[in-house]
Amino acid sequence: MRAVRYGGPEVLTLAEEPVPEPGPGEARVRVRAAGVNPADWKTYSGAFGTDPARLPLRLGFEAAGVVTAVGEGAAGPAGPLAVGDEVIGFRLSGAYASDVVAPGSAFVPKPAGLSFEAAGGLMLAGATAVHALTATGVGEGDTVLVHGASGGVGQMVVQLARARGARVVGTAGEASADVVRRLGGEPVRYGAGLADRVRDLAPGGVDAAVDTVGADEAVDVSLALVPDRGRIATIAAFERGAAEGIRVLGGGPGADPGTELRDAARPELARLAGEGRLVVAVAATFSLAEAAEAHRLGMQGHTHGKIVLVP
Ligand SMILES: NC(=O)c1ccc[n+]([C@@H]2O[C@H](COP(=O)([O-])OP(=O)(O)OC[C@H]3O[C@@H](n4cnc5c(N)ncnc54)[C@H](OP(=O)(O)O)[C@@H]3O)[C@@H](O)[C@H]2O)c1
């Protein structure tokens, strides 16, 4: 099989490896599309620490594909897995590959109407968004401020907040205001004067905020506008968020990983996406051999949707 793995801080290499066999309870999936996430480059940039003993690293936490082999008793949340099933895998290890093996519990059915590319980029961002909105208690009648509303996670937060009956004010640059608007959010330009622009748009106040950017501006403006710190969540400002007593979500130190909640969100995310009620914008696709190029694009921080690798 072919698989992308870590060869040094700047170098991703494509390596030939034997196709893995699933053990008991596991399934093997032929990857049709693997989602690219900032966590992927943070894994080898040193942002998550450096441990030479872990090299070479296999990258990729999510993918959509077709089951090609099952170990004894392999089952996902929707029941037993069988060869030929179209599935979405989340919490994978090494999804940047032509084939991936994982416990059956990692796989939920892919709705027939959802493309492999969209399905491959759905779960990490979608489950993070569900976690953020649940942690901040966003519901009917709330006004929620979403920082980074045009990004991979931000677009999910906007759509799912709207589905919960909230009004969404979403920060975006000039070039991505329309992205936010199309999803039912009200775009506001980030940068100096942000708090005043949000106040002008929402004179009745802001009930909750979700920060997917991690910049001081996002935290400062959230603190200035949201009266209850328990209703401010960040998925990117780990140190600052902890110091300010806001909700810090994800895999960082001291953060709430929300593992059960995120895993439980998968069937609903798949259903909504399959029905076309949750749009996964695919911003760009690359081959496995182009993984480094995909990362260079993502690292610029201005893509408006998911980057996906297609083996
Ligand atoms: N903790 C967790 O569980 C978790 C899970 C997923 C992701 N994350 C983290 O969350 C962050 C976002 O992930 P992502 O996948 O959504 O990234 P992404 O898709 O690459 O985000 C790109 C978006 O960020 C926007 N942006 C850039 N600078 C901004 C600023 N100063 N203010 C507002 N928006 C800005 C861009 O809008 P413009 O083009 O308009 O500038 C673009 O739409 C990353 O740091 C990632 O590691 C954490």
Side-chain angles (χ1 to χ4, degrees):
M1 61 174 278
R2 294 168 297 138
V4 174
R5 64 184 180 182
Y6 173 57
E10 310 301 329
V11 183
L12 296 170
T13 57
L14 189 60
E16 292 288 338
E17 294 183 9
V19 175
E21 289 303 325
E26 294 181 332
R28 185 178 70 216
V29 166
R30 170 60 54 91
V31 175
R32 296 285 302 275
V36 171
N37 292 286
D40 300 344
W41 53 81
K42 291 179 183 178
T43 297
Y44 67 88
S45 72
F48 294 158
T50 51
D51 179 0
R54 290 184 63 220
L55 297 176
L57 284 171
R58 294 280 302 273
L59 301 180
F61 297 113
E62 61 176 342
V66 181
V67 175
T68 52
V70 288
E72 194 188 331
L81 293 162
V83 171
D85 287 352
E86 297 187 348
V87 293
I88 306 176
F90 175 46
R91 295 193 195 288
L92 304 177
S93 175
Y96 286 18
S98 54
D99 303 85
V100 67
V101 166
S105 59
F107 300 106
V108 298
K110 181 188 83 63
L114 187 65
S115 72
F116 281 105
E117 287 83 356
L122 166 64
M123 286 302 172
L124 196 147
T128 303
V130 170
H131 189 193
L133 291 169
T134 305
T136 50
V138 169
E140 187 76 38
D142 279 333
T143 297
V144 56
L145 174 62
V146 180
H147 298 277
S150 58
V153 178
Q155 290 191 31
M156 290 286 140
V157 177
V158 171
Q159 294 178 84
L160 293 167
R162 294 288 296 137
R164 288 174 176 226
R167 177 185 178 194
V168 175
V169 174
T171 73
E174 298 278 358
S176 63
D178 276 346
V179 174
V180 179
R181 207 172 280 120
R182 275 199 298 275
L183 299 175
E186 297 164 59
V188 60
R189 194 167 36 81
Y190 59 75
L194 173 61
D196 286 338
R197 287 192 291 280
V198 177
R199 282 191 192 98
D200 288 347
L201 259 180
V206 175
D207 302 295
V210 174
D211 164 35
T212 75
V213 176
D216 279 338
E217 173 186 83
V219 177
D220 290 340
V221 170
S222 299
L223 290 169
L225 297 181
V226 179
D228 177 356
R229 289 188 181 209
R231 299 199 70 192
I232 303 173
T234 182
I235 62 164
F238 288 88
E239 281 179 26
R240 178 85 202 279
E244 300 290 357
I246 64 177
R247 309 294 307 268
V248 185
L249 312 178
D256 169 12
T259 309
E260 277 181 32
L261 188 153
R262 291 183 185 211
D263 282 351
R266 292 173 298 163
E268 173 76 351
L269 288 167
R271 188 179 64 77
L272 290 172
E275 291 170 1
R277 290 160 63 199
L278 180 65
V279 176
V280 184
V282 177
T285 59
F286 293 88
S287 69
L288 283 184
E290 296 168 327
E293 202 179 316
H295 282 197
R296 277 183 214 109
L297 175 66
M299 288 162 93
Q300 291 170 17
H302 299 287
T303 43
H304 304 140
K306 299 303 300 181
I307 299 173
V308 173
L309 299 184
V310 178

